[in-house]
Amino acid sequence: MLAILLSGPVISAEASGVFTCRGADGEMTFSFAPCARTEPASAVAVVEPSTISNAPSRFEQLDNLDDAIARVQQALEDVKAQYEHDLLNATGKTDGITATFEQTTNNLLHELSELRNQRGQVKRN
């Protein structure tokens, strides 16, 4: 089943209605509604990498990426469990349930791939 999902086109989160949000505590969540803004855009400042004095070490970066990978893997398991639950409780056509599951799964798999690529780059540096 995973091979079938991987063979389909990757759909952007906005096109599918699935959003990846980060809470104030840094925890990643997935939602079918847009993320709430916690601070105005004008409060975000761009900092040049050379000016960062407390940049995380390579090991901290790897730990952070490992945590993010684990969260996405857990989200994949949660999405699968929700899909199975929704199918069991469906009273009519399941096309919409399946389409949402496929889109969400594709987005999560894409994000997982990106995180693993980032981890590989950090590990090589």
Side-chain angles (χ1 to χ4, degrees):
M1 181 172 190
L2 191 55
I4 293 170
L5 292 174
L6 289 174
S7 66
V10 175
I11 300 171
S12 74
E14 288 184 19
S16 68
V18 178
F19 299 86
T20 304
C21 306
R22 289 216 185 264
D25 59 358
E27 185 172 335
M28 187 179 347
T29 60
F30 301 91
S31 173
F32 292 108
C35 306
R37 287 192 82 100
T38 56
E39 49 184 68
S42 61
V44 177
V46 177
V47 179
E48 293 297 323
S50 61
T51 64
I52 298 174
S53 60
N54 294 328
S57 72
R58 182 174 155 210
F59 297 110
E60 290 171 323
Q61 290 175 9
L62 290 171
D63 283 343
N64 291 339
L65 287 166
D66 288 340
D67 289 344
I69 288 169
R71 284 192 298 270
V72 172
Q73 288 172 329
Q74 182 61 51
L76 280 165
E77 292 176 24
D78 294 346
V79 166
K80 180 182 178 215
Q82 184 65 47
Y83 172 66
E84 291 169 347
H85 175 268
D86 290 348
L87 283 180
L88 287 174
N89 295 313
T91 58
K93 288 188 174 186
T94 58
D95 294 346
I97 295 170
T98 300
T100 300
F101 169 74
E102 289 173 352
Q103 290 173 353
T104 303
T105 303
N106 279 337
N107 290 333
L108 290 171
L109 289 172
H110 177 74
E111 184 170 352
L112 184 60
S113 175
E114 291 291 321
L115 288 168
R116 287 180 175 161
N117 287 339
Q118 289 175 15
R119 190 184 192 290
Q121 290 174 353
V122 170
K123 192 173 180 180
R124 282 188 294 275
N125 292 336

